Amino acid sequence: MKKWAYPLAIITLIIFIFLKFTFQSDWMNKFDAKMADVFFGNQFIEVFHFIGEPIFVVIVAVILIVYLAWKTKNYRGMLFVVLTFAAGNVLNQVLKKWIQRARPEIEDQLTSYSFPSGHAMTGILYLFATAYILAEINSKGRKILLWVGASILMVLIGLSRIAGARHFATDVLAGWSMGYTWFIICVIWYERRKRTLQSNHK
């Protein structure tokens, strides 16, 4: 990871905390309403919620774990996938139950809590974790494509939840923020473990 990626995780944590304490304010409600006006009903964007669905994320996780176990025998990488995908989802559920924000009021709305968006948070986690793992075995040009692709899909998954009125924009921003922070925490563990193993083999 680039050096700037690590302090950015502190900034995204601050953004999450800021959103947690301000999402009920009038100006944040106006922001949410404005974003809903812009994106609600956009069928192209809404389609991208499918690649943020739990079943899709689980399939990607299984493929990654099988690849890491069979092709590269990177068992540390397998645990990294579990920490980002599974532990990240658990963290999202804990935060939702702690904050208990209701979802936007629409017909046939989901009954679970809204803040932070699970699709946004698990979306950035599984996409960035996949890009990170695959970037280790690819050329510089492909690394850039992996990260650009992951970032674009992350944005589209988050916006799909606003387009479908399943979440407020502040839920999505909070999901991205906490998702990135957790991702970097997992990367720090992964890279420290990697350095420890390398030094032990010298």
Side-chain angles (χ1 to χ4, degrees):
M1 295 292 291
K2 300 290 186 183
K3 288 184 178 179
W4 55 262
Y6 300 99
L8 181 57
I10 298 172
I11 295 170
T12 54
L13 178 60
I14 292 168
I15 290 170
F16 175 83
I17 294 168
F18 174 76
L19 289 167
K20 192 269 177 190
F21 287 105
T22 60
F23 72 77
Q24 291 178 312
S25 64
D26 289 339
W27 59 286
M28 277 297 189
N29 287 335
K30 288 177 183 176
F31 170 75
D32 282 333
K34 179 66 176 175
M35 292 298 100
D37 287 342
V38 171
F39 294 106
F40 179 70
N42 187 313
Q43 293 183 336
F44 171 76
I45 292 176
E46 194 173 350
V47 166
F48 285 90
H49 89 272
F50 287 111
I51 61 172
E53 289 292 323
I55 185 64
F56 190 89
V57 176
V58 169
I59 290 169
V60 173
V62 170
I63 292 170
L64 258 184
I65 288 171
V66 169
Y67 167 77
L68 289 166
W70 176 65
K71 189 77 173 176
T72 64
K73 292 184 170 52
N74 183 354
Y75 304 113
R76 178 175 36 83
M78 292 166 63
L79 185 53
F80 174 74
V81 171
V82 172
L83 286 172
T84 50
F85 285 52
N89 182 61
V90 171
L91 175 61
N92 177 260
Q93 296 303 313
V94 168
L95 290 170
K96 281 187 174 185
K97 289 178 181 177
W98 172 46
I99 297 167
Q100 298 188 3
R101 184 187 195 182
R103 290 177 184 262
E105 292 182 11
I106 60 166
E107 236 180 283
D108 300 321
Q109 183 58 283
L110 302 171
T111 55
S112 55
Y113 293 119
S114 193
F115 186 101
S117 164
H119 274 65
M121 185 167 168
T122 57
I124 190 172
L125 280 167
Y126 96 83
L127 288 166
F128 277 25
T130 302
Y132 180 80
I133 290 291
L134 295 180
E136 287 194 320
I137 55 165
N138 278 284
S139 63
K140 187 176 180 181
R142 287 182 179 177
K143 285 179 184 179
I144 293 169
L145 286 175
L146 281 167
W147 283 108
V148 169
S151 299
I152 291 170
L153 289 176
M154 171 206 80
V155 170
L156 289 170
I157 290 171
L159 294 181
S160 75
R161 305 309 280 167
I162 305 170
R166 297 304 186 185
H167 283 285
F168 299 102
T170 43
D171 300 334
V172 172
L173 289 173
W176 285 336
S177 299
M178 182 53 71
Y180 183 80
T181 298
W182 181 249
F183 168 70
I184 290 298
I185 289 170
C186 294
V187 167
I188 290 169
W189 169 83
Y190 180 81
E191 293 184 345
R192 280 189 176 178
R193 185 68 181 154
K194 184 179 180 179
R195 285 195 297 270
T196 301
L197 290 172
Q198 287 173 342
S199 63
N200 288 341
H201 284 96
K202 286 181 180 178

